[in-house]
Amino acid sequence: MLTPKFKVLQDDKHLSVHIFAPYARISDAEINIDGESFTFYSSPYYLRLTFSGRLVDSELEKHTAKFDAAVGAFIIVCEKETPGQHFANLDMLTTLLAPHGATGVNKPMIEVVGDEKDGELLDEQDEDFDWMYEQTLPEENIVTGGHKYGFANNTTGVFTALQNELKGVVDVSDPDNKSASQRREERITHELRVFDEDHYLADYFEVDTAQQCVEFIPEFYSITSDEVELSDQDKEDMMKLPRKEHLLDKGAQSIVYLGLVDILYSWCYNHRVTLGENCVESAWNVAKLSSTLSWFDSFTHLKDVAVGSVRRSVTFPLIRNWLLSQEVLKDTAQILSLGRKKVLQCLLEIQRFFNSSEPRYLLNQLYITDYCVWIQRIKDNKLISLADSLKKLKISKDDICLDLEDLEAAAHLVLEEEEENALAHGENINNIVTDFAGLTVIENGAALGANDNEDGLKKGAAINPREGLAQLSDSDSSSSESDSEDDSDEDSDSSDSSDDSSDDDSDRDGSSSDSSELDSDDDTLSESDEE
């Protein structure tokens, strides 16, 4: 038989059950209503629901049923036995599917004893928790049960047979032979050892990426608990959850609640750094940041949860920023304040992360699936109380024992020294430029001072030295020509004299030629005389 998809709506007098069974035999449909129990059968579908209130029996034929062919759904409208009564948990599909009296893992099938009100147990869950009070872990019987982990510490021996899967799932080694206190001590030691100061400082000063994540406003800040809606995918995943109920004592409940905060913190971090759009690293982000999932840790104090989560958020992920970690704490409190439906939505998303990221599906079997079942039966006021305590909690940089304040102060000193050195280097360059401005330029054997022609220097500063000298020469020539007409005449005279000198040179060349000829004649005459 197949369990069909369904949803349940209500008003003051009626309860409406919508059953999506597109391949059902309509003529064979059978409906049976008996007090709190509702049963539907139409081959190949079978559905049994248990409500928190009583309905009018089907024998009285006060219910109506029809088949909507457009959507392929049966719509059955039932009358409430007590008009105006509110039926709780209609969104918690797994709770509706669970038969009355179902129990948790590794326990015999027994009926849950206790008064009920609106379908919620009035037992030890109604006791108030002091989330700031240091609890004690339940003692482990290592002779008969071994060291335990998993949801409510009810599992052991898993990794004895799955050693090959261990490294791909968790950071703790050989968890079956280590107690909760040993696992915690190793976790803290590991976090302090692998903390990367350079990576942290890089994200501390290069704030562009981190700032974008810090300024991001998740959508769950703009809704109320009544406005939380489970998607069709969420409802489909809820149908696949086991039909059971967990019976927990007070110590186990405290561990489960605090572990929930730790897991939700990792979800909120991933949601913020991906800006609400999950990526292929989302499963790694959630598994790595959660001490519960990566080290099988069991918390006994809310501050320990917050300290561990923040320390891991500045040690392992890609973006390691203190302000970002603080914002994620606020996000976690906001999720808790929205109640179990929003928390369930987050847990179902984590379950999908791990199912698509082998071998992390083992974390679903150890923790997430049980959390998805358990969260549907708890009361919202417990989550709201936990959220209020988390909002009041203040975590300082000293609490996480990484010396972040000293590290940041030392980095600032180094930057200040570098800035001072850069400033001094800039002053030296300015002095060199000033010295160059005072140099004397030699042109054609004449000295030209820096102050003789400021315009010339300014022009020459933008070009090469030879072009500058040429400009200075042209500038001096033009200025000297405009001084006086006498200077102009003198220049023309000097020009004439240069012409004359050139003529004289040519005459000298001529005379030189003549003299050589005369010498030649003289030699001839002397020879004749000798004869």
Side-chain angles (χ1 to χ4, degrees), residues 118-136:
D118 291 339
E120 296 185 1
L121 298 176
L122 297 179
D123 53 11
E124 70 275 6
Q125 289 189 1
D126 283 338
E127 298 180 10
D128 292 332
F129 283 95
D130 186 356
W131 307 109
M132 302 299 182
Y133 177 73
E134 184 72 28
Q135 306 288 332
T136 58

Side-chain angles (χ1 to χ4, degrees), residues 34-203:
D34 183 11
E36 299 171 348
S37 177
F38 172 93
T39 305
F40 168 84
Y41 170 77
S42 181
S43 180
Y45 300 99
Y46 177 81
L47 178 66
R48 175 178 176 137
L49 304 176
T50 303
F51 297 109
S52 60
R54 296 180 61 84
L55 300 172
V56 176
D57 291 348
S58 57
E59 295 179 355
L60 299 178
E61 297 182 351
K62 290 188 176 182
H63 66 279
T64 61
K66 66 177 182 178
F67 181 78
D68 188 345
V71 295
F74 289 89
I75 302 177
I76 301 97
V77 179
C78 315
E79 285 192 11
K80 294 180 178 179
E81 189 174 278
T82 304
Q85 181 183 7
H86 177 74
F87 284 29
N89 300 330
L90 296 184
D91 290 325
M92 305 293 107
L93 305 186
T94 308
T95 302
L96 295 179
L97 289 169
H100 186 66
T103 61
V105 181
N106 299 328
K107 291 182 180 292
M109 297 297 292
I110 60 174
E111 182 178 359
V112 178
V113 178
D115 295 333
E116 293 187 2
K117 181 180 180 181
D118 291 339
E120 296 185 1
L121 298 176
L122 297 179
D123 53 11
E124 70 275 6
Q125 289 189 1
D126 283 338
E127 298 180 10
D128 292 332
F129 283 95
D130 186 356
W131 307 109
M132 302 299 182
Y133 177 73
E134 184 72 28
Q135 306 288 332
T136 58
L137 291 173
E139 295 183 0
E140 298 178 350
N141 189 338
I142 60 175
V143 176
T144 59
H147 296 295
K148 296 185 177 182
Y149 43 83
F151 180 84
N153 284 339
N154 60 5
T155 307
T156 188
V158 172
F159 290 99
T160 300
L162 295 173
Q163 286 294 329
N164 293 333
E165 307 290 344
L166 181 62
K167 292 183 179 180
V169 179
V170 297
D171 292 337
V172 60
S173 60
D174 195 16
D176 294 305
N177 294 316
K178 292 179 181 177
S179 65
S181 58
Q182 289 175 321
R183 295 194 294 265
R184 172 175 296 183
E185 183 178 351
E186 286 189 12
R187 172 181 66 82
I188 296 175
T189 302
H190 180 259
E191 291 167 356
L192 298 179
R193 177 170 52 85
V194 302
F195 174 70
D196 190 338
E197 297 180 352
D198 293 336
H199 193 144
Y200 174 80
L201 289 176
D203 288 349

